[in-house]
Amino acid sequence: MSLGDEPGYPETGHTRTRLPDDPYGGASRRGGRSSSRSLVTVVGVVVLLIAAIAFANRGDGNDSSTSSTTANGGGTNGSQPKTSSTAATGTKPVETRSGGIPTGFAHSAQGAQSAAANYSTVLGSDAMFNTAKRHMIVQTVADPSTLDKQQSGFDSDYSADFLKKVGLNNDGTAPSGSTFVNRTLPVGTKVTSYSDSTATVEVWCNGLFGIAGKSSTNPVTSNWFTVTTKLNWSGGDWKVLESSQKTGPTPVTGDNPVSGADEISKAVQEFGGFTYAR
């Protein structure tokens, strides 16, 4: 494994960092838009909400029937339309954990998607920047046949030079008075190949990376990327054989004003993560 072309983040299984020109300046990331455009946007959102409510309440009024139809993609032939390809199925998340990491996924395509989403999250977390925590994570999610290769690759990625480059201490923590942020947020999953023994799953993700602090030169930024994870059914669970990453799909950046370092730090400390299930 090697570092990505852009500074500040490993290439494999993680986001890349792009620094804004005016970090924590309190200004919008993009130029202002006309009031008429804003009005159209607000009206559009209201219309979408009304349409969504109407769709949810249509039918015979039986809530369980409506939920079941949505979960299974609707239709009379049992096939799932493309428009519902990323809708939740309603299956409960796994209840077992190993070292805080969700494990024990179903031996199915849906279970493989859940495993890929959760593994992308933990392999793209701030814990990966600490040697002991990183080793525990990789030992938990990696397939035994590629464990050593993955472990050495990640150790190479998270070298002392790299930690220094992104402004972290040797143990992967942020300097005093600042907060290190590294989160991977799955948006949707897609199975590109599946058999009883192996599966390849793509996970579309949004990522947050950077250091929130008054003197930070590496502020928290948002990135979009897709992680491709090859899984193997081993020991009664899906395990990672290998993973790779590519940029995008990336939506247009919104007009939200950039939050200050204190607000970002507080949010990261107060808002916990999720267990993802397909």
Side-chain angles (χ1 to χ4, degrees), residues 151-203:
Q151 196 70 271
S152 62
F154 280 117
D155 285 343
S156 177
D157 283 342
Y158 295 97
S159 64
D161 288 342
F162 173 70
L163 297 182
K164 182 178 180 180
K165 186 176 182 180
V166 297
L168 298 175
N169 299 320
N170 290 334
D171 61 354
T173 59
S176 178
S178 58
T179 302
F180 175 45
V181 183
N182 186 42
R183 288 196 184 187
T184 296
L185 316 170
V187 176
T189 58
K190 178 179 68 175
V191 174
T192 57
S193 68
Y194 179 80
S195 70
D196 285 342
S197 59
T198 61
T200 300
V201 181
E202 293 184 359
V203 185

Side-chain angles (χ1 to χ4, degrees), residues 101-119:
I101 302 172
T103 56
F105 297 96
H107 191 189
S108 64
Q110 179 176 307
Q113 291 179 78
S114 296
N118 284 281
Y119 292 163

Side-chain angles (χ1 to χ4, degrees), residues 92-98 101-105 275:
K92 294 181 179 180
V94 294
E95 297 180 354
T96 55
R97 288 178 176 269
S98 178
I101 302 172
T103 56
F105 297 96
T275 297

Side-chain angles (χ1 to χ4, degrees), residues 9-232:
Y9 218 68
E11 166 73 13
T12 305
H14 309 284
T15 61
R16 295 177 177 178
T17 301
R18 294 182 177 86
L19 304 184
D21 295 331
D22 183 22
Y24 303 127
S28 172
R29 289 175 182 261
R30 303 176 64 202
R33 294 183 178 179
S34 65
S35 58
S36 60
R37 175 65 180 276
S38 299
L39 178 59
V40 171
T41 301
V42 172
V43 173
V45 171
V46 173
V47 172
L48 289 175
L49 287 175
I50 293 175
I53 293 172
F55 177 82
N57 292 327
R58 73 179 185 178
D60 59 5
N62 187 319
D63 290 340
S64 62
S65 175
T66 301
S67 298
S68 176
T69 300
T70 302
N72 291 299
T76 58
N77 60 0
S79 62
Q80 185 171 331
K82 293 182 179 179
T83 54
S84 299
S85 60
T86 58
T89 61
T91 299
K92 294 181 179 180
V94 294
E95 297 180 354
T96 55
R97 288 178 176 269
S98 178
I101 302 172
T103 56
F105 297 96
H107 191 189
S108 64
Q110 179 176 307
Q113 291 179 78
S114 296
N118 284 281
Y119 292 163
S120 295
T121 299
V122 71
L123 288 172
S125 68
D126 54 3
M128 290 291 289
F129 288 74
N130 177 276
T131 302
K133 294 179 180 179
R134 178 173 66 253
H135 286 182
M136 183 276 292
I137 290 172
V138 177
Q139 289 171 6
T140 300
V141 307
D143 187 78
S145 65
T146 61
L147 172 60
D148 292 341
K149 179 181 180 180
Q150 292 188 64
Q151 196 70 271
S152 62
F154 280 117
D155 285 343
S156 177
D157 283 342
Y158 295 97
S159 64
D161 288 342
F162 173 70
L163 297 182
K164 182 178 180 180
K165 186 176 182 180
V166 297
L168 298 175
N169 299 320
N170 290 334
D171 61 354
T173 59
S176 178
S178 58
T179 302
F180 175 45
V181 183
N182 186 42
R183 288 196 184 187
T184 296
L185 316 170
V187 176
T189 58
K190 178 179 68 175
V191 174
T192 57
S193 68
Y194 179 80
S195 70
D196 285 342
S197 59
T198 61
T200 300
V201 181
E202 293 184 359
V203 185
W204 183 29
C205 304
N206 179 227
L208 303 176
F209 180 82
I211 298 177
K214 298 294 185 182
S215 59
S216 173
T217 58
N218 187 15
V220 180
T221 58
S222 176
N223 298 274
W224 291 87
F225 53 96
T226 298
V227 177
T228 299
T229 303
K230 293 184 178 181
L231 300 166
N232 184 50

